[in-house]
């Protein structure tokens, strides 16, 4: 078993990125990170972003890219995102969210699956890998089965991989390690996010996730990247990124 590589989801430092995205990329490289997952480009061209990543010594194998689900131009928009992704040199195109609603019916779940499957076909035909990132709502039961399981049963593994957010899996009342093992072979990337008992984000190791078991499972099934994501902070976004880096470094993961 080899340890997955560790990276940072740049949504974690969006407050800094909004002010100066290219400078923020440089700051993340200076912390010591060697991998990032993108989440928006802040008006910059693919060429500019690619150069900033190279200058910072950063690898960006994946990005979170939303589907404009309720827009009639959804497929035109997707085509543009695919073209940008290819120019940027991404390997993996990951949808971070789908607006399913609070009380979905089975028809709602099937519509979600159909839309995501169609997007996956466009993305994979272009030569990129396509993934889906969960929150907690996908772990609600609909007709006796969790939404997440409906999705991964209805969409072929050739079309879609899982990017399990281990913090949200825990918040949803499931065991992160068990879900990692359940979808072994279909899980090249996971998100490391921790939550306090009151449901607010915190640094890795300060919340409720059992990281020993979760990360052991990631090693066992061959996860390639563990991507840290944090949305709220007790300190600052940059300081949290440093603390999360230090947590993994102390354990020999970096």
């Amino acid at each position: 078993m080899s340890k997955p590589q560790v990276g940072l989801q740049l949504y974690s430092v969006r407050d800094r990125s909004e002010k100066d995205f290219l400078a923020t990329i440089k700051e993340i490289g200076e912390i010591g990170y060697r991998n990032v997952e993108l989440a928006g480009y802040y008006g910059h061209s693919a060429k500019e972003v690619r150069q900033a990543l190279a200058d910072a010594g950063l690898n960006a194998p994946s990005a979170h890219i939303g589907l404009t689900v309720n827009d009639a131009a959804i497929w035109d928009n997707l085509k543009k995102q695919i073209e940008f992704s290819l120019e940027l040199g991404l390997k993996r195109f990951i949808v971070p969210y789908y607006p399913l609603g609070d009380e979905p019916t089975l028809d709602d779940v099937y519509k979600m699956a159909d839309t995501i499957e169609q997007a996956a076909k466009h993305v994979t035909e272009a030569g990129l890998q396509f993934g889906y990132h969960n929150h907690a709502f996908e772990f609600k039961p609909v007709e006796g089965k969790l939404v997440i399981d409906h999705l991964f049963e209805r969409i072929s593994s050739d079309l879609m991989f899982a990017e399990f957010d281990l913090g949200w899996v825990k918040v949803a009342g499931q065991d992160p390690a068990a879900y990692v093992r359940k979808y072994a072979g279909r899980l090249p990337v996971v998100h490391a996010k921790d939550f306090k008992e009151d449901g607010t984000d915190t640094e890795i190791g300060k919340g409720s996730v059992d990281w020993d078991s979760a990360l052991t499972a990631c090693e066992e099934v061959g996860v390639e990247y563990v991507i840290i994501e944090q949305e709220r902070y007790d300190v600052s976004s940059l300081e949290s990124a440093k603390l999360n880096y230090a947590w993994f470094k102390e354990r020999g993961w970096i």
Side-chain angles (χ1 to χ4, degrees):
M1 295 187 300
S2 61
K3 284 182 168 60
Q5 296 185 57
V6 175
L8 182 72
Q9 163 54 257
L10 291 184
Y11 190 73
S12 306
V13 287
R14 63 195 178 281
D15 58 329
R16 304 180 76 81
S17 296
E18 287 165 359
K19 295 172 184 173
D20 191 334
F21 182 45
L22 303 185
T24 301
I25 289 174
K26 185 173 185 288
E27 288 178 321
I28 299 308
E30 288 170 346
I31 291 171
Y33 286 100
R34 289 297 168 257
N35 302 286
V36 292
E37 184 174 76
L38 300 165
Y41 312 111
Y42 303 90
H44 291 282
S45 69
K47 182 179 179 180
E48 288 172 324
V49 176
R50 193 171 65 240
Q51 187 62 57
L53 291 166
D55 290 346
L58 289 168
N59 173 44
S62 58
H64 274 193
I65 304 166
L67 295 178
T68 55
V69 172
N70 297 313
D71 187 337
I74 177 174
W75 306 119
D76 287 336
N77 294 339
L78 179 60
K79 182 181 177 182
K80 292 173 186 173
Q81 291 281 17
I82 290 170
E83 289 170 353
F84 195 99
S85 300
L86 291 170
E87 187 179 352
L88 194 52
L90 295 178
K91 179 179 181 181
R92 297 186 171 109
F93 183 116
I94 301 170
V95 170
Y97 174 77
Y98 182 94
L100 184 61
D102 294 333
E103 300 293 335
T105 64
L106 191 59
D107 283 345
D108 293 331
V109 174
Y110 286 173
K111 181 181 178 184
M112 174 184 182
D114 290 345
T115 301
I116 290 173
E117 183 178 41
Q118 189 171 347
K121 287 177 178 176
H122 286 295
V123 170
T124 55
E125 284 169 4
L128 296 163
Q129 296 176 27
F130 180 91
Y132 182 79
H133 165 276
N134 64 280
H135 291 80
F137 69 86
E138 294 93 345
F139 290 84
K140 289 182 177 180
V142 175
E143 301 287 334
K145 185 181 295 183
L146 302 187
V147 170
I148 197 78
D149 294 323
H150 279 296
L151 286 181
F152 285 105
E153 283 182 18
R154 288 183 67 85
I155 302 173
S156 164
S157 60
D158 293 337
L159 287 176
M160 184 174 76
F161 65 82
E163 180 184 60
F164 285 138
D165 185 305
L166 303 178
W168 281 119
V169 174
K170 170 68 175 176
V171 167
Q174 301 294 325
D175 176 10
Y179 253 85
V180 166
R181 292 188 176 100
K182 180 173 183 175
Y183 286 96
R186 199 172 178 176
L187 191 67
V189 190
V190 301
H191 267 199
K193 180 183 289 183
D194 218 342
F195 287 94
K196 300 176 185 177
E197 293 297 342
D198 65 3
T200 57
D201 284 37
T202 190
E203 284 78 36
I204 303 299
K206 294 183 180 179
S208 60
V209 175
D210 179 351
W211 289 108
D212 288 338
S213 68
L215 292 173
T216 296
C218 289
E219 284 189 80
E220 287 176 6
V221 307
V223 169
E224 294 177 36
Y225 292 94
V226 172
I227 303 294
I228 299 160
E229 183 181 38
Q230 189 170 345
E231 297 183 41
R232 287 178 284 184
Y233 329 94
D234 292 327
V235 281
S236 70
S237 63
L238 192 66
E239 188 61 27
S240 287
K242 292 176 181 178
L243 291 170
N244 287 324
Y245 178 89
W247 190 92
F248 277 95
K249 189 174 179 65
E250 286 165 9
R251 285 155 183 80
W253 278 62
I254 299 174

